[in-house]
Amino acid sequence: MNRRLPADIAEQADRIAEFARLESLDFYPTVFEQMTSEEMSQVAAYGGFPQRYPHWRFGMEYERLRKQHRYGLGRIYEMVINNNPCYAYLLVDNMMVDHKTVIAHVYAHCDFFKNNYWFSKTNRRMIDEMANHATRIRRYMDRHGVERVERLIDTYLSLENLIDPHSAFMLRERPRGEVRRRAREEDERRPATRYPAKTYMDRYINPPEQMAREQEEDRKKEEKAKDAFPPTPMRDVLGFLLEHAPLEDWEADILAIIREEAYYFAPQGQTKIMNEGWASYWHSTLMTRYILTAEELVDYCEHHSGTLATYPGRLNPYKLGIELLRDIENRWNTGRFGPAYDACDDMAVRRLWGKDKAPKHRVVGRGSPGREKIFEVRALYNDVTFLDEFLTPEFVDDQKLYQYRHDPATGRMVVVTRDFEKIKQQLLFMLTNHAQPYIYVVDGNYRNRGELYLAHKHTGADLDVKYAVETLKELHRIWKRPVHLNARIDDDPILFTFDGEQSSQQHIDDSLDHPRAKF
Amino acid sequence: MILQINHDHQRFRKIVKGKIRDDLRKFLTRGELLGREGHKYISIPVRGIDTPHFRYGDNNDSGVGKGDAKAGDALGDGDGMGPGGEQEGRHLMEVEVSLDELAEILGEELKLPRIRPKGKHRITAERDRYVGIRQSGPESLRHFKRSFRRALRRQMMSGLYNPDAPRIIFERRDKIYRSWKTVLSPQSNAVIIYMMDVSGSMGDEQKELVRLEAFWIDAWLRKNYQGIESRYIVHDVRAAEVDRETFFRIREDGGTRISSAFRLARELIDKTYTASEWNIYLFHFSDGDNSSESDSRECCALLRQHLLPGLNLFGYCQVASAYGSGNFFNVVTEQLSSQEAVIATRVNTKDDIYDSIKKFFAAGR
């Protein structure tokens, strides 16, 4: 169908853009297109893009979305791509008031994409890039066969989450020469452990033979670490495989594609709550302040509350985001921040904080300190730092948050506590690393036999053993030598191994070889 | 319009149906296929393929929710923003589907095997199903809720609505009517006879499994084949015919003599369902713990000589039991393996039910 926007909607889009700029939103030029729900399901299955490489998982997603639509379980209201210009899609059979809401919502998303630090390294020409990826993979499919390429993509997708979202912000890998030089310098600077002692006591407190022995040991350790590969454990497993796995050129190229796309999507996972909260905050502000007409009010309210609805026992990122942003705005407008406020643990005092000092004609909205604060928040934070810094006991109380847990006895989810610390900890755990386990490449030449040694950094939850075993098999398809995973299961360090024929698990003790690098 | 994604979708469907990429079969997710019996709605998962990746395991089942619940209160299953994050692991979404729709989904992969046109009058039947809405229609089909909502909205928008004295008056343009589609469905004369072992060796768990399996076979058949007759037999040492309700509810005790049920089935068939007129399907559910070897032998003889010649299918489904030998499964498979119309399956857990039904009704057999 013709995706060009009808004149009346285009006019509204321009109007809303002006209001958004007036409120200091700063976004890329935004192109709106309209689509049928079928097309929308396709685009949504493609992660928002008009073109992706052929793969069944998009078909799976499409089926899910279509069923969801068919059974009236939910429809996709908005879809926006982080790109310059931003692309956004409107559902063709929506009412005008929905279009307006979506447009306002989208401008805020674009503003977030453009200004949030975590998005600063993403490719802003991703639409073109995705189309290029599709072409390249199609070409490989023509040359090497659909099944073979698809199988390879499946394997890569099993490892897709093994990236390091922070890696765009750091120097990828120090040249090996430099590592050695630094190690040597350190070595010379630090002659083993020397305890402070008066001169006449020195040879008793720091006996020379002991010093010599320690120095020797240290030197040996350093010697060993010099050959460590990678020099320090690294989280970007995909990057490591790309560099070092024995892959054909075309295989490596596909891996590079999968990895690039994973990195492109990572910031969206890192900022889900903030991004949606920010967009909801602004569609609400813009709609109620500037745009709504009287006859649209009821429909707007219905749809707005629909997006923010929280069912008992459920947490809606839109809702959490918008409420927390409003809470921050309110706190900064009423002076509820700073060391004195943070240190205060009298709930009664905190509740009334700022009430007495509130100036008569306080500025709210545009130009207020609270508004400035949330603009700063949207530029610098991601979900983890956002909640870590701004979640307060009052907020948790007001929002009626609780922690729940699976109760093995009844097999049901049971509310455990409303304790602030516990809830915060739980939220942060769920958001950290996008709820994916931390997996590191520790040694790419384990036992000096070219075997790959990964390790799971245990942060409170065990890995799923069944999945881990299968994933190792996939990993072996790429590495083509035995692969190992060090993971703690039930407080017991286990080494999972797949050697190409069979999987094994063994308890890790001193009888096993250690990887070169310390983990 | 042809969408680019159709290609991917087709490929996904083919994988689900097992036509291509066998290596992915083991990652197919289907979760709980079984809903609550007796309610109209049940929830079924959407099919998905869950390729392996490193993820957290079971000791991680906790999250944060929002609401009025007190500590210790139970939540509905699967509520909350789980540790799965936002993007991953949502392939398995529960969808509320009516029984009809579920049977339809099952039907994509299943067929009543070897059904033949028999009898005189039934080839196709027409049926009206109310599937949509339209702007005009007879008053008797007016969709009251939708019409009311439109009228309410119109009145609110035009300021006619008074919340203190709410009075909603429909206008012509508010009214919405149900519309229907005529569905043609093939009909054949068919009868399904279910036999269930309700003896003491069948524990509650076993009976539950049997009931679920029989329930699903029944649901699926009723949806896909109009005019199917169902008869239900329960037995311990004696057999008795019961109605559908009783069949799914009854609790009994006692020993096991399987031949009793077969004998009753034979009587039933002889009396009412002649093989030339009817497609006959016989299902037997048991834990396979028959009282004696001789009775098992008698069962086989009964089957071979009297029942099987006229049957389209004899399906034997055995549930794992804590007691007893479960020997009848071996008897059936060994003695009757040459018979094409005999299919035996084992069901140990709920997960096996789907496979068992598929084995019975695999399409194109």
Side-chain angles (χ1 to χ4, degrees):
Chain A
M1 75 169 289
N2 182 8
R3 293 184 176 171
R4 268 260 309 283
L5 220 51
D8 56 334
I9 305 180
E11 201 178 291
Q12 288 293 343
D14 292 344
R15 221 181 115 227
I16 295 168
E18 285 198 10
F19 292 131
R21 290 209 184 87
L22 184 69
E23 290 280 4
S24 340
L25 288 180
D26 164 33
F27 41 88
Y28 294 122
T30 306
V31 181
F32 289 96
E33 294 184 345
Q34 57 169 358
M35 288 189 166
T36 62
S37 71
E38 287 278 291
E39 286 175 306
M40 197 74 138
S41 297
Q42 160 173 327
V43 168
Y46 279 157
F49 287 88
Q51 289 261 335
R52 290 300 285 279
Y53 54 84
H55 193 262
W56 54 260
R57 114 192 108 111
F58 301 126
M60 173 170 87
E61 188 65 11
Y62 173 68
E63 179 170 290
R64 192 184 68 82
L65 290 167
R66 227 181 34 168
K67 273 191 185 157
Q68 203 176 14
H69 188 84
R70 179 147 47 110
Y71 295 118
L73 292 159
R75 53 205 263 161
I76 308 154
Y77 268 105
E78 43 102 10
M79 171 104 349
V80 50
I81 311 178
N82 165 27
N83 195 69
N84 184 9
C86 268
Y87 275 80
Y89 307 108
L90 304 174
L91 204 55
V92 69
D93 40 5
N94 268 347
M95 288 183 285
M96 185 48 122
V97 57
D98 293 332
H99 288 318
K100 288 182 185 173
T101 314
V102 170
I103 290 168
H105 191 89
V106 161
Y107 283 137
H109 272 312
C110 297
D111 167 85
F112 197 89
F113 290 148
K114 186 174 173 187
N115 295 293
N116 183 272
Y117 178 68
W118 301 94
F119 282 91
S120 60
K121 306 283 184 186
T122 53
N123 184 351
R124 309 293 188 173
R125 294 257 166 231
M126 204 57 189
I127 294 196
D128 303 345
E129 191 64 35
M130 287 285 187
N132 288 342
H133 291 172
T135 314
R136 262 148 72 192
I137 288 187
R138 285 217 171 81
R139 197 179 304 147
Y140 294 133
M141 283 182 164
D142 288 344
R143 192 169 306 161
H144 304 285
V146 174
E147 191 122 333
R148 202 164 150 209
V149 172
E150 191 184 69
R151 182 73 191 83
L152 189 69
I153 293 175
D154 288 353
T155 302
Y156 292 152
L157 290 179
S158 285
L159 310 168
E160 192 189 24
N161 55 351
L162 305 185
I163 58 169
D164 183 351
H166 297 126
S167 79
F169 302 95
M170 61 194 192
L171 187 57
R172 282 244 49 82
E173 200 173 305
R174 280 208 187 76
R176 289 178 73 80
E178 196 191 332
V179 176
R180 291 189 189 186
R181 191 170 46 74
R182 283 161 53 105
R184 215 169 28 241
E185 277 170 13
E186 267 175 31
D187 199 31
E188 280 156 16
R189 247 183 285 123
R190 173 177 53 88
T193 334
R194 178 179 279 278
Y195 299 100
K198 299 228 162 61
T199 337
Y200 64 93
M201 286 295 284
D202 190 60
R203 65 198 171 99
Y204 300 104
I205 289 174
N206 299 310
E209 58 272 27
Q210 169 80 8
M211 298 295 285
R213 202 163 56 234
E214 268 182 31
Q215 223 159 355
E216 180 64 13
E217 265 171 27
D218 277 0
R219 205 184 51 73
K220 269 190 196 151
K221 242 185 239 167
E222 298 274 336
E223 199 65 29
K224 225 175 147 187
K226 254 188 238 171
D227 298 328
F229 162 59
T232 48
M234 65 190 272
R235 273 181 66 199
D236 187 2
V237 180
L238 284 191
F240 182 83
L241 292 172
L242 189 60
E243 291 279 318
H244 304 294
L247 296 170
E248 306 260 341
D249 283 353
W250 65 275
E251 293 174 326
D253 190 35
I254 295 176
L255 179 56
I257 288 173
I258 302 287
R259 177 166 172 266
E260 191 186 336
E261 294 185 2
Y263 272 109
Y264 169 78
F265 286 116
Q268 299 185 17
Q270 279 177 289
T271 57
K272 178 87 180 165
I273 292 174
M274 281 188 73
N275 207 339
E276 293 302 354
W278 182 251
S280 303
Y281 175 91
W282 281 109
H283 84 232
S284 160
T285 308
L286 292 173
M287 287 301 278
T288 49
R289 193 144 305 170
Y290 302 105
I291 302 163
L292 269 180
T293 58
E295 73 268 19
E296 290 173 337
L297 185 67
V298 174
D299 286 317
Y300 167 75
C301 289
E302 186 188 342
H303 292 151
H304 176 72
S305 49
T307 11
L308 297 189
T310 31
Y311 302 95
R314 205 174 281 256
L315 201 65
N316 180 341
Y318 291 72
K319 176 75 173 166
L320 183 61
I322 190 174
E323 292 297 348
L324 199 49
L325 283 169
R326 281 181 174 157
D327 186 54
I328 294 168
E329 184 178 15
N330 185 27
R331 279 174 58 201
W332 258 258
N333 276 340
T334 51
R336 299 179 188 207
F337 60 97
Y341 179 77
D342 289 341
C344 173
D345 52 6
D346 185 339
M347 286 301 262
V349 177
R350 279 172 77 109
R351 286 246 175 241
L352 293 172
W353 196 283
K355 285 261 161 77
D356 50 336
K357 294 186 223 106
K360 278 258 161 53
H361 303 287
R362 204 173 58 220
V363 194
V364 288
R366 195 146 37 107
S368 66
R371 188 58 75 71
E372 267 162 36
K373 183 66 188 176
I374 58 172
F375 267 96
E376 179 191 310
V377 169
R378 80 91 157 78
L380 298 176
Y381 287 78
N382 63 27
D383 283 350
V384 172
T385 53
F386 180 55
L387 287 169
D388 190 30
E389 181 134 3
F390 297 111
L391 201 70
T392 60
E394 289 89 342
F395 181 82
V396 166
D397 199 31
D398 290 344
Q399 295 294 316
K400 299 180 177 170
L401 301 183
Y402 55 75
Q403 186 194 24
Y404 65 78
R405 181 176 292 285
H406 182 253
D407 178 9
T410 58
R412 308 201 57 171
M413 294 293 179
V414 174
V415 175
V416 191
T417 176
R418 288 186 178 276
D419 179 54
F420 169 68
E421 289 299 331
K422 293 268 168 52
I423 290 169
K424 180 170 170 183
Q425 209 171 22
Q426 177 73 38
L427 275 171
L428 290 179
F429 174 74
M430 277 151 56
L431 295 168
T432 303
N433 200 26
H434 203 192
Q436 302 290 330
Y438 284 96
I439 307 280
Y440 288 80
V441 181
V442 178
D443 195 344
N445 186 22
Y446 180 52
R447 299 200 283 189
N448 202 18
R449 289 193 210 162
E451 298 175 7
L452 185 61
Y453 190 100
L454 305 184
H456 170 224
K457 188 167 136 200
H458 201 279
T459 51
D462 290 354
L463 287 183
D464 185 315
V465 172
K466 253 161 77 183
Y467 275 71
V469 167
E470 289 296 329
T471 313
L472 278 181
K473 288 183 190 166
E474 295 295 307
L475 185 61
H476 182 271
R477 298 175 74 92
I478 304 175
W479 192 250
K480 299 181 180 79
R481 292 278 306 145
V483 288
H484 309 271
L485 172 74
N486 171 349
R488 219 169 80 199
I489 306 291
D490 293 335
D491 286 326
D492 194 19
I494 306 277
L495 191 66
F496 294 88
T497 299
F498 182 71
D499 64 3
E501 274 162 18
Q502 55 188 351
S503 301
S504 60
Q505 306 174 6
Q506 49 191 322
H507 175 76
I508 297 177
D509 51 29
D510 281 341
S511 69
L512 284 178
D513 290 322
H514 291 290
R516 295 276 175 107
K518 248 213 181 110
F519 182 66
Chain B
M1 167 162 181
I2 298 189
L3 293 172
Q4 193 197 335
I5 202 149
N6 283 350
H7 182 82
D8 295 331
H9 188 220
Q10 288 306 320
R11 213 167 157 77
F12 171 65
R13 294 303 313 167
K14 278 190 197 160
I15 296 172
V16 168
K17 288 181 183 170
K19 296 217 171 92
I20 49 171
R21 293 295 309 279
D22 247 4
D23 50 330
L24 286 176
R25 292 284 293 167
K26 62 178 165 176
F27 302 126
L28 272 183
T29 55
R30 58 165 180 271
E32 188 85 343
L33 176 75
L34 307 145
R36 294 173 300 271
E37 177 191 327
H39 291 257
K40 179 157 190 235
Y41 286 95
I42 49 123
S43 66
I44 65 135
V46 175
R47 299 301 292 268
I49 299 169
D50 193 14
T51 48
H53 50 273
F54 291 123
R55 59 167 219 184
Y56 289 127
D58 287 342
N59 67 346
N60 188 29
D61 280 349
S62 55
V64 173
K66 179 172 157 68
D68 281 322
K70 288 190 304 292
D73 285 359
L75 307 175
D77 296 323
D79 280 350
M81 181 164 128
E86 291 305 312
Q87 312 287 323
E88 303 301 322
R90 59 173 187 184
H91 304 149
L92 229 142
M93 193 193 58
E94 300 269 313
V95 180
E96 293 271 309
V97 197
S98 71
L99 216 52
D100 268 6
E101 280 160 332
L102 179 75
E104 212 169 89
I105 292 161
L106 274 174
E108 275 181 26
E109 292 167 44
L110 308 179
K111 249 198 191 89
L112 199 51
R114 294 139 48 97
I115 192 158
R116 285 178 285 263
K118 284 186 180 179
K120 305 159 203 115
H121 40 270
R122 342 221 168 147
I123 303 300
T124 54
E126 283 187 7
R127 228 157 49 102
D128 290 338
R129 296 189 57 206
Y130 293 94
V131 288
I133 52 161
R134 55 166 76 151
Q135 298 282 349
S136 60
E139 284 299 297
S140 57
L141 289 182
R142 192 180 62 214
H143 195 308
F144 182 77
K145 202 167 162 188
R146 278 172 183 269
S147 307
F148 184 86
R149 214 157 45 202
R150 274 166 69 107
L152 178 65
R153 194 158 58 202
R154 180 180 49 73
Q155 288 194 358
M156 281 174 117
M157 271 176 0
S158 54
L160 293 173
Y161 178 72
N162 175 6
D164 297 326
R167 192 168 297 152
I168 307 296
I169 298 157
F170 287 14
E171 279 184 11
R172 183 78 206 86
R173 56 184 165 147
D174 297 328
K175 290 181 182 171
I176 299 255
Y177 302 88
R178 285 170 221 276
S179 77
W180 66 90
K181 216 163 65 184
T182 302
V183 191
L184 290 177
S185 50
Q187 275 201 356
S188 298
N189 271 353
V191 59
I192 319 282
I193 301 172
Y194 300 93
M195 304 179 290
M196 187 186 351
D197 180 354
V198 289
S199 64
S201 64
M202 295 274 285
D204 280 345
E205 220 173 285
Q206 283 76 29
K207 284 181 190 166
E208 180 67 17
L209 280 177
V210 164
R211 284 196 183 88
L212 282 170
E213 169 135 2
F215 174 76
W216 280 111
I217 293 178
D218 206 48
W220 178 73
L221 285 172
R222 276 163 184 263
K223 152 79 190 166
N224 284 281
Y225 296 90
Q226 299 304 311
I228 277 192
E229 291 197 19
S230 305
R231 306 296 285 257
Y232 304 90
I233 294 171
V234 292
H235 74 89
D236 39 35
V237 287
R238 262 188 314 276
E241 193 187 344
V242 294
D243 61 18
R244 183 175 142 86
E245 281 294 294
T246 321
F247 184 78
F248 287 120
R249 305 251 134 100
I250 192 168
R251 312 249 169 230
E252 287 222 352
D253 260 337
T256 317
R257 198 181 299 139
I258 295 176
S259 62
S260 67
F262 286 6
R263 211 166 278 130
L264 184 64
R266 187 187 156 198
E267 270 173 40
L268 213 62
I269 290 170
D270 287 348
K271 218 169 11 183
T272 330
Y273 307 103
T274 48
S276 58
E277 290 271 311
W278 291 84
N279 290 290
I280 304 168
Y281 296 85
L282 198 59
F283 288 98
H284 183 233
F285 305 95
S286 166
D287 62 351
D289 189 25
N290 207 357
S291 58
S292 67
E293 280 298 313
S294 64
D295 190 64
S296 294
R297 274 197 299 279
E298 197 183 331
C299 287
C300 288
L302 256 170
L303 272 171
R304 199 176 292 126
Q305 285 161 24
H306 300 285
L307 288 167
L308 282 175
L311 285 183
N312 291 49
L313 175 75
F314 171 66
Y316 175 66
C317 169
Q318 181 163 306
V319 288
S321 162
Y323 321 97
S325 54
N327 194 38
F328 196 64
F329 185 86
N330 302 332
V331 174
V332 171
T333 43
E334 279 161 26
Q335 303 273 323
L336 303 168
S337 59
S338 58
Q339 301 278 352
E340 216 184 308
V342 178
I343 299 172
T345 64
R346 276 176 198 272
V347 172
N348 297 331
T349 66
K350 284 184 183 178
D351 285 342
D352 300 331
I353 290 180
Y354 180 77
D355 287 328
S356 164
I357 295 182
K358 258 184 93 157
K359 203 171 164 196
F360 284 143
F361 299 121
R365 242 166 32 85

